[in-house]
Amino acid sequence: MARSAQPVSSLPGVAAALLVAALILGTLAAVALRAEAGHGFSSSDWAALKFTLTQAVLSAVISVALAVPVARALARRRFPGRSLLIALLGAPFILPVIVAILGLLQVFGRSGWISDVLVYFGASPIRIYGLHGVVLAHVFFNLPLATRLILQGWQEVPSERFRLAAQMGCDGWSLFRLIELPMLARILPGALAVIFAICLTSFAVALTLGGGPRATTIELAIYQAFTYDFDLGRAALLSAVQLALTAAAAFAALRLSRGEGFGAGLDRAIQRWDGGTPVVDTIWIVLAAVFLLLPLSAVVLSGISGLFELPVIVLKSALISIGVASASTVILLLLALPMAAAVAVRRHGMVEVSGILGLAASPLVIGTGLFIIIRPWANPSDLALPVTALVNAAMALPFALRILVPAARETVSRHGRLALSLNMEGWVFFTRVLIPRMRPQIGFAAGLAAALSMGDLGVIALFADPEIATLPLQIYRLMGAYKMEAAAGGALLLLMLSLALFWLLDRGGRWHAEA
Amino acid sequence: MGDDLKHLLIAAGLLTATSAMAAEKPQLTVYTYDSFVSDWGPGPKVEEAFEAICECDLKLVGVEDGAALLSRIRLEGENSDADVVLGLDTNLIETAKKTGLFAPHAVEADYALPIEWADETFVPYDWGYFAFVHKAGEKVPANFRELAESDKKILIQDPRSSTPGLGLLLWVKSAYGDEAADIWADLSDNIVTVTKGWSEAYGLFLDGEADMVLSYTTSPAYHLIAEEDDSKTSAAFDEGHYMQVEVAAKLAGTDQPELAEQFLNFVVSDAFQSIIPTTNWMYPAVTPANGLPEGFDRLQMPKEALFFAPKEAVAARGEALPEWLEALSQ
Amino acid sequence: MLKLDTCTISNGAFHLQADLSVDAGNSVAVIGPSGAGKSTLLEAIAGFREISAGSIYWQQQDLTKLAPGKRPIAMLFQDGNLFPHLTAEQNVALGLHPSGKLSHTEQDQVQAALERVGLAGMGARKPAELSGGQQSRVALARVLVQHRDLLLLDEPFAALGPALKAEMLDLVAELAAETGTTLLMVSHDPQDARRITRQAILVADGRAHPPAETEDLLDNPPPALRQYLG
């Protein structure tokens, strides 16, 4: 097949992908090489693998299935507070795990708000602990992400297409089949793969909501291998299994999501003429909002009293976290933009897959691997912040690519020829066309990365430097010191800061239709 | 390229070393668990007290928890940066000894432990009893059998990821031996859930998710002293309570052996021991000259201390963990 | 002279043979049945499609391996001739520098070009704020500042009304005459071809034929073209 000329080189993107792959596989190798004779796969590991897969598949499918109607409703309804709601959709995702668990159980727990209401009316409290609880928690985390990814897909359909469809009298099912289904076919496999990968590495959430050792995941086994058994070989083996599963899911998603874009549009504000059924849309939006906002309000309510009495040291940690999040966001964009461009000009399966691996890489393995690699050269704790920023960026990369790749592809296919005819290549195309055209996606990806980095405990715990604690670490420390109220205040502060960062970046990027 | 980087880093390392020498103060590096170094833990006060007497720079490095701490030491091996490790517990001692990374000490002290202490490598600095904490005024079971028969709901931690979780596992094993598996099977309907660590379980308990949570007999002391809240207490179990003793030791590879020994002596001294009760919320290993802080006298003192010697603890864990998994996975 | 020397242009299973030349300064229509490969021919000349055999020359310079932007060619496509996120001025400026950064004199050139196509004072508008005809004029203004020897039109005005399209073609013809540009334009409409070209290349049955007089070709069309013209 003759290669047609392309406005950007895929080399920087391939290099970035190699860097990410080296980070993830190199750290795994470092751990494996450091291992002494260890144990292989035990029968309880098979049980853990089975449970891990079951919950991850269920969580991914249900999150995405629910996200479709919610995103569709959000795409075609305009109402006051809509943009705020969309911003808040990012919130569950960025909460530190422990805060999210407490918030969720304050609503759905044995003595949670819903159970209280049920008991008041003479019913029995809900039984949340079990596989369904694990899935519920994962849907809470991932429904917003899936919704945003799919909503993004809707926004990328040029308004001209909707106009055309309206002209032809398409609405409801026929509009769905004509415009929306092909878009979903492109977006959904990637969204499924990303959420599957996230849920694959679930540990504390799965264990707590799962109600006990029935809900043992591979990540728990990795933790146990690292800390209690110091069996690095086993940890590396289990981590390799996670990576292999994720790579398989990513490959499957890539094969399934091949599809063409929508062709050119002229940046007209998206307007839709298909009425749909407002009532149905409203129900979906209200249900999603209630489901997502209730646990968040629990976090807010528990945090208010502690918020105003936070020790200065916690505020200092907040500043450190903002710094790490900013650095992490910059690193993320430096990796993700060239990678997205590479995938856009040529189908680089390896680039996309290495982009998704960050999700399945156990933070413990990456952290320990980096520790092993860095230690002969430098004091790991001196590098705590840069390493944290780097690892957080690698973890946010899969999301960023899901967001950036479709837009990059669209931009290259729409404007590549014109740019080439004007001799706009490489850096000029990158800065004059790709980046301006992808501003909303870049804003969204940057916002997500910043917020994720804010909430992530990540590898900082392994590289601990007593002088520099991030906000999530400080929240854990407050809890460890019985100071649950202050910890809740810290969690609320974290939530507000993350949302503010997310909102600023996301807002900064959006330029049409979403006002 | 790689070599250049290496030289650069070595140069940077030398630079740091020189600047440290310029300060002319030897540095003692102590690895401990994270909650010890936190601003609300003993760390800051301990650092101040030791630096006042040692003419040195005490560097406390926090590593997640006791188990992670030992892993970190094993990961670093013989060239560990640590001179002293503080924060392993008795269940980890045997594994720690087997690594051969620790050196014997010559510390002598008048320990206030419920058990005889004669370990040559590990110096105990605090201890406590595991117990179920509950709201004061509630009628609670008096042992595991009663608990299993009751409809009380409990929150526990996973022995595969948490020190108290492992403590509970050994508690049941030491109290019931071969019957431990049955106890767990009977307890399974009382267990609301199993958490990764202590904080999740305790947080959920404070939110009202269960009647009791696995913690320490000293936990109510925090609420009494720091919050002037006497609404929490711990349940006395008549089969006895399992003990946790936290220990410190110096590394065989330390380049500051005298300073490390001085630190271990400091650990059992009044200056360190008087900091422990209201920062680590545990019993000090040596009773401070001024006694225990007010409030500690109101805690339940178990009639019998249950305890596996380090060697037995490893064997008991190996036996009890599969039983626990089996019973709770049904 | 533009010379396609025994070229084979491949697009999947489709192959187009071209062995022809076009005199410098000439205006040539490219006509033929739909799907015969008219756009493919222009894309190959512009460098968007690699040719599998043969060579393309402009005034003895071998263009075959040159990247599209390095060829002495400006091209207007059926759509997407402007960047929607840039203003009319910025779009025109790209014709001078791919980076769009201009000196004062170059800025004057841009204004002059906009004026020339009748868009004085509209430089700050973005494409979405311009009518279809005005968008075409912006693209032409850019072609003007590009100063390329060859201009390829792949039906950029197809979406415009007959009067507007005629106006645009006249403008193109005028500009081409002023600058001595060699023009190749795909056309579906015999009237367009007659209007501004003297010669035409017939693309049919896998071959791009050497230019013939437009009038002759349209008055006495070969069978493949006759069927198409109806």
Side-chain angles (χ1 to χ4, degrees), chain C residues 40 48 50 63 83 97 122 187:
Chain C
T40 307
F48 293 110
E50 271 182 32
L63 305 184
F83 291 109
H97 279 300
M122 298 205 201
S187 179

Side-chain angles (χ1 to χ4, degrees), chain A residues 158-251:
Chain A
S159 56
E160 283 84 347
R161 300 300 165 275
F162 285 109
R163 205 173 51 181
L164 179 63
Q167 176 62 31
M168 297 188 297
C170 286
D171 56 6
W173 176 242
S174 58
L175 179 84
F176 184 75
R177 246 190 12 204
L178 186 68
I179 296 183
E180 305 182 314
L181 201 59
M183 180 278 290
L184 291 174
R186 268 191 319 141
I187 304 272
L188 295 193
L192 279 169
V194 167
I195 295 171
F196 171 79
I198 300 171
C199 298
L200 214 51
T201 53
S202 176
F203 166 8
V205 170
L207 181 67
T208 309
L209 273 297
R214 276 180 307 269
T216 295
T217 53
I218 301 183
E219 188 70 22
L220 191 158
I222 294 177
Y223 183 89
Q224 187 191 1
F226 260 116
T227 51
Y228 279 77
D229 301 332
F230 195 66
D231 188 343
L232 297 184
R234 212 169 96 82
L237 175 70
L238 292 168
S239 181
V241 169
Q242 276 184 344
L243 286 176
L245 287 171
T246 301
F251 266 120

